[in-house]
């Protein structure tokens, strides 16, 4: 199931608002080799607050992804058992990421230039994958944060 809420807050400040989304997925397979969709978090949610007025647009977003099973069968010679079926599977740990985007368009100039600023992974969240058990690391990635500054125009 999924719930989405979009709410303009013009009564507080014209151009202000937010969007929120919550998704809950309960997967169950059956049979000798139960199938599930891999790379899908059982719980995800995101929240974005925005302001758009005149030539300015700004957004601040937070996204959460719960643990994700990455493989549907045993990997790398690690087999599961009836009591520990997860032993052969790989999992991504849960993570939350904060991003922001700002735009300003100069409508009065001939080429309508737009300044852009994107801040990605502001909180410096890492990505980690493990094999069957949380203390058995498979991958670790620390992307840091990214700042993109740009100018756009039409000619």
């Amino acid at each position: 199931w999924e719930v989405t809420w979009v709410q303009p807050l013009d009564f507080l400040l014209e151009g202000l608002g937010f969007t929120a989304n919550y998704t809950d997925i309960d997967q169950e397979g059956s049979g000798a080799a139960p199938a599930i969709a891999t790379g899908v978090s059982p719980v995800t949610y995101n929240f974005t607050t925005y302001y758009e007025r005149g030539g300015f647009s700004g957004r601040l977003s937070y996204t959460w992804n719960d643990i994700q099973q990455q493989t549907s069968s045993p990997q790398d010679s690690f087999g599961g058992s009836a009591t520990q079926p997860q032993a052969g599977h790989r999992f991504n740990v849960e993570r939350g990421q904060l991003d922001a985007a700002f735009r300003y368009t100069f409508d009065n100039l001939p080429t309508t230039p737009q300044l852009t600023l994107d801040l990605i992974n502001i909180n410096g969240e890492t990505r980690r994958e493990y094999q069957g058990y949380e203390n058995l690391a498979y991958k670790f990635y620390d992307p840091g944060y990214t700042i993109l500054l740009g100018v756009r125009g039409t000619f």
Side-chain angles (χ1 to χ4, degrees):
W1 61 274
E2 182 173 43
V3 176
T4 300
W5 183 5
V6 178
Q7 183 66 56
L9 299 172
D10 289 337
F11 62 92
L12 293 175
L13 180 63
E14 187 156 344
L16 183 65
F18 72 85
T19 65
N21 176 277
Y22 179 88
T23 304
D24 191 327
I25 298 173
D26 185 15
Q27 295 190 68
E28 291 184 26
S30 60
I36 66 159
T38 58
V40 177
S41 295
V43 172
T44 60
Y45 59 86
N46 58 63
F47 182 84
T48 299
T49 184
Y50 63 86
Y51 179 76
E52 296 176 350
R53 182 107 169 122
F56 179 79
S57 170
R59 299 181 183 283
L60 182 66
S61 300
Y62 181 79
T63 302
W64 171 264
N65 289 299
D66 211 353
I67 189 171
Q68 296 175 350
Q69 185 172 331
Q70 289 302 103
T71 59
S72 60
S73 60
Q75 301 289 312
D76 304 322
S77 300
F78 284 95
S81 67
T83 58
Q84 296 177 322
Q86 81 282 2
H89 301 291
R90 290 199 306 260
F91 299 87
N92 280 342
V93 298
E94 63 279 346
R95 68 185 302 271
Q97 182 169 313
L98 183 64
D99 301 316
F102 304 97
R103 309 277 181 267
Y104 188 81
T105 305
F106 296 89
D107 291 325
N108 297 331
L109 295 178
T111 61
T112 317
Q114 182 184 66
L115 293 178
T116 65
L117 174 63
D118 293 296
L119 308 169
I120 302 166
N121 197 23
I122 297 168
N123 56 333
E125 190 72 11
T126 61
R127 296 173 189 241
R128 190 172 74 82
E129 188 174 325
Y130 64 89
Q131 180 83 39
Y133 305 97
E134 284 198 57
N135 62 346
L136 184 53
Y138 187 79
K139 292 180 189 173
F140 182 81
Y141 177 57
D142 186 354
Y145 59 88
T146 302
I147 300 172
L148 300 170
L149 181 61
V151 178
R152 292 180 176 175
T154 55
F155 300 94

